[in-house]
């Protein structure tokens, strides 16, 4: 998955000193000399600071699994909290996610199940999953697709997303989108405009339409929506109640689409 940031990894390094303190506390409590009613001889409250630090270090060197276990538990709790927040955000923002008039719609606009994709034209994983998206659409006449331009990989990505949204005004968004997903190499300004010309877009009009404030407003809404759903990289998918982060395959898509259809929820 193409990442927007490395928050989790950075957070681990920031919290490591705290985990060391926790480990020290574990040593203190598990020390055989610990007594609830009085400090044991050689306990942290009676040891000089340097002696205490040496004992903590010796304990951690002898028991490194304490830190590993603490990091694993912290990561699990963080993931669970993020998932809970994301599901709450999904309920809150469902109408914006599915029915924003500024988001392009593909497949069957009146379909009974909606697949939402957050993507970046410079994301290699998005390009890899594009054939599965095409196959899912071709094999399901009741599938509705909502495209969320999510340009997180630099200025070229922003330019490409703005061009794609502007292509809607010439009724060529689906053609432009699918052509862009087949681009080899960086989706920079030159390639974007070459694709635009190849599929029949009026390039001069496209550049004018890209300057419409509504285009940048849609991108800003998508960025905020992805953040609320804890989608921090590309691609990201929402199918029914499920949020998928990272590339997926056709079978997984079809399984979630069928499950959503059975449940009667878009």
């Amino acid at each position: 998955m193409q990442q927007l940031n490395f928050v989790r990894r950075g957070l681990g390094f920031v919290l490591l000193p705290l985990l060391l303190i926790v480990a020290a506390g574990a040593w203190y409590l598990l020390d055989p000399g610990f007594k609830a009613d009085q400090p044991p001889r050689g306990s942290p409250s009676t040891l000089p600071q340097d002696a205490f630090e040496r004992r903590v270090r010796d304990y951690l060197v002898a028991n490194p699994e304490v830190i590993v276990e603490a990091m694993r538990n912290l990561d699990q709790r963080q993931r669970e909290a993020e998932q809970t927040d994301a599901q709450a955000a999904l309920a809150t923002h469902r109408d914006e996610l599915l029915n924003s008039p500024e988001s392009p719609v593909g497949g069957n606009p009146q379909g009974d199940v909606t697949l939402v994709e957050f993507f970046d034209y410079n994301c290699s994983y998005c390009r890899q999953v594009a054939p599965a998206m095409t196959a899912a659409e071709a094999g399901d006449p009741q599938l509705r697709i909502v495209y969320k331009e999510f340009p997180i990989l630099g200025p070229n990505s922003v330019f490409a997303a703005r061009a794609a949204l502007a292509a809607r005004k010439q009724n060529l968004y689906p053609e432009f989108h699918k052509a862009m997903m087949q681009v080899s190499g960086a989706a920079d300004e030159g390639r974007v405009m070459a694709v635009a010309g190849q599929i029949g877009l009026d390039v001069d009009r496209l550049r004018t339409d890209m300057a419409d404030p509504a285009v940048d407003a849609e991108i800003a809404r998508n960025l905020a929506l992805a953040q609320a759903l804890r989608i921090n990289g590309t691609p990201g998918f929402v199918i029914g109640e499920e949020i998928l982060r990272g590339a997926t395959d056709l079978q997984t898509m079809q399984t979630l689409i069928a499950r959503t259809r059975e449940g009667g929820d878009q």
Side-chain angles (χ1 to χ4, degrees):
M1 181 172 69
Q2 300 278 315
Q3 292 293 330
L4 177 60
N5 53 52
F6 300 95
V7 172
R8 180 173 290 118
R9 183 182 300 174
L11 185 60
F13 287 115
V14 170
L15 292 179
L16 184 56
L18 177 60
L19 293 175
L20 296 179
I21 295 172
V22 172
W27 161 76
Y28 175 56
L29 292 174
L30 297 175
D31 190 287
F34 176 78
K35 302 295 183 183
D37 57 345
Q38 63 180 5
R41 184 174 61 183
S43 71
S45 61
T46 61
L47 284 174
Q49 181 68 22
D50 59 343
F52 171 62
E53 291 174 355
R54 283 197 301 273
R55 290 198 64 178
V56 170
R57 178 186 179 281
D58 291 344
Y59 175 81
L60 296 177
V61 169
N63 301 276
E65 66 275 7
V66 171
I67 296 177
V68 175
E69 182 178 359
M71 290 290 290
R72 185 181 297 118
N73 290 340
L74 176 65
D75 186 65
Q76 179 63 28
R77 291 184 181 182
Q78 184 179 3
R79 288 175 182 271
E80 290 173 354
E82 289 179 352
Q83 184 63 21
T84 298
D85 291 344
Q87 290 302 135
L90 179 57
T92 300
H93 299 284
R94 184 173 295 279
D95 187 61
E96 177 185 358
L97 182 73
L98 301 181
N99 302 313
S100 171
E102 301 302 324
S103 294
V105 175
N108 181 351
Q110 284 75 46
D112 60 357
V113 174
T114 299
L115 184 161
V116 182
E117 182 186 14
F118 290 80
F119 58 90
D120 184 306
Y121 290 117
N122 276 298
C123 166
S124 59
Y125 299 106
C126 298
R127 294 175 185 174
Q128 290 174 16
V129 83
M133 289 288 294
T134 300
E137 178 182 353
D140 190 340
Q142 288 300 314
L143 180 63
R144 178 175 180 263
I145 300 174
V146 173
Y147 299 100
K148 295 291 186 181
E149 299 285 341
F150 187 41
I152 60 174
L153 298 177
N156 284 336
S157 296
V158 174
F159 185 91
R162 293 173 70 220
L165 291 171
R168 292 185 70 198
K169 294 191 175 183
Q170 299 184 49
N171 297 316
L172 285 173
Y173 178 90
E175 292 81 358
F176 181 81
H177 172 80
K178 291 175 181 178
M180 285 298 301
M181 283 300 177
Q182 297 177 23
V183 166
S184 178
D188 55 18
E189 181 175 350
R191 285 190 173 90
V192 168
M193 288 305 171
V195 167
Q198 289 165 7
I199 67 166
L201 282 163
D202 181 329
V203 174
D204 291 334
R205 180 185 171 187
L206 184 71
R207 287 188 180 275
T208 299
D209 291 338
M210 287 172 64
D212 187 337
V215 168
D216 288 335
E218 169 68 0
I219 292 173
R221 281 191 297 270
N222 291 346
L223 293 172
L225 184 57
Q227 182 178 19
L229 297 174
R230 302 299 192 269
I231 296 175
N232 297 318
T234 51
F237 304 90
V238 179
I239 306 173
E241 298 298 323
E242 297 292 331
I243 302 173
L244 302 179
R245 300 171 181 86
T248 189
D249 56 29
L250 177 61
Q251 182 177 358
T252 299
M253 289 182 189
Q254 292 175 330
T255 297
L256 293 178
I257 291 167
R259 184 184 304 168
T260 301
R261 183 168 285 137
E262 291 171 2
D265 297 323
Q266 274 207 338

